[in-house]
Amino acid sequence: MTSARGRRTIDGAREAIATATLAKAFWTDPFILYFYPHEDVRRRRLQRFFALTWRVAAAHETCDLTTNGEAAAMWLPPNNWRIPCHAMLRNALRMVHAYGAALPRVLDCLGRMEAVHPTEPHWYLMTLGADPAHRGQGHAHSLLQPRLAHCDANNVPAYLESASANNIPFYGKLGFGVLREVAIPGGPSFWPMWRPPGKLPRA
């Protein structure tokens, strides 16, 4: 039996591995470059940035990580995609430490994403990233398979925002379709993508 302390150690180790993987995966992501244009700032803050996202998903036990940390994904279950105000307040200090001077830009982008977020119950893929050293080896694809299979089995849609047009074909092969393009004034665009259930390609 794993003790509470042992469980925290396991979770802490998984968080450290996942946030390190995501920091490498998103180093040149358009939104990350918009938030942290200076490399030294990006290097200091990026793992803290993803640690916040990890903890939101960890509360629902919906953080996925490949065995050797090649890829990580964070989901939110149906009707839980909106982060409550009390959670924002509880994490206010962490947000300041993670976002720094980028905080107004981050909150603006989150507000714009929330404004176009579908209200129909769905699984929300908040973040997916693979270590660049292991890209093209199928790690991200295999990491998504169980959650998408669960969506299909329970007839529940899935949703995500792609921050890069280059990633749209990858998600398209998994059944996601682009809803629109949303441009951030003075910043990058993102593409909300919706996946009806039953779209997982058969092996």
Side-chain angles (χ1 to χ4, degrees), residues 3-169:
S3 67
R5 182 177 179 181
R7 179 64 181 173
R8 284 195 296 271
T9 301
I10 293 169
D11 288 345
R14 291 182 75 241
E15 178 184 321
I17 293 168
T19 54
T21 295
L22 292 169
K24 288 182 279 188
F26 283 84
W27 182 253
T28 58
D29 175 84
F31 274 85
I32 295 302
L33 293 176
Y34 175 58
F35 297 150
Y36 309 116
H38 301 293
E39 285 193 12
D40 56 338
V41 176
R42 206 181 321 153
R43 191 171 289 108
R44 288 199 310 271
R45 298 196 182 274
L46 208 45
Q47 278 194 250
R48 295 177 186 175
F49 180 97
F50 287 111
L52 281 174
T53 313
W54 179 270
R55 287 165 188 164
V56 170
H60 299 279
E61 299 185 348
T62 50
C63 299
D64 298 329
L65 183 66
T66 56
T67 303
N68 295 311
E70 301 94 344
M74 290 173 268
W75 295 81
L76 289 179
N79 301 314
N80 284 279
W81 63 268
R82 196 189 303 272
I83 300 175
C85 290
H86 65 80
M88 299 278 282
L89 291 172
R90 188 173 62 247
N91 287 288
L93 187 58
R94 288 194 182 103
M95 290 171 68
V96 171
H97 286 161
Y99 304 147
L103 181 59
R105 293 193 295 276
V106 173
L107 294 179
D108 176 65
C109 289
L110 290 175
R112 293 176 187 278
M113 289 178 174
E114 184 173 307
V116 300
H117 200 118
T119 56
E120 179 183 341
H122 60 274
W123 277 88
Y124 174 39
L125 178 58
M126 288 195 298
T127 305
L128 170 70
D131 185 330
H134 299 284
R135 280 187 188 149
Q137 299 175 13
H139 296 294
H141 185 276
S142 64
L143 196 63
L144 294 182
Q145 293 280 329
R147 296 281 180 195
L148 295 179
H150 176 82
C151 288
D152 293 343
N154 292 276
N155 200 37
V156 179
Y159 175 76
L160 60 85
E161 299 108 354
S162 177
S164 172
N166 294 333
N167 293 332
I168 290 174

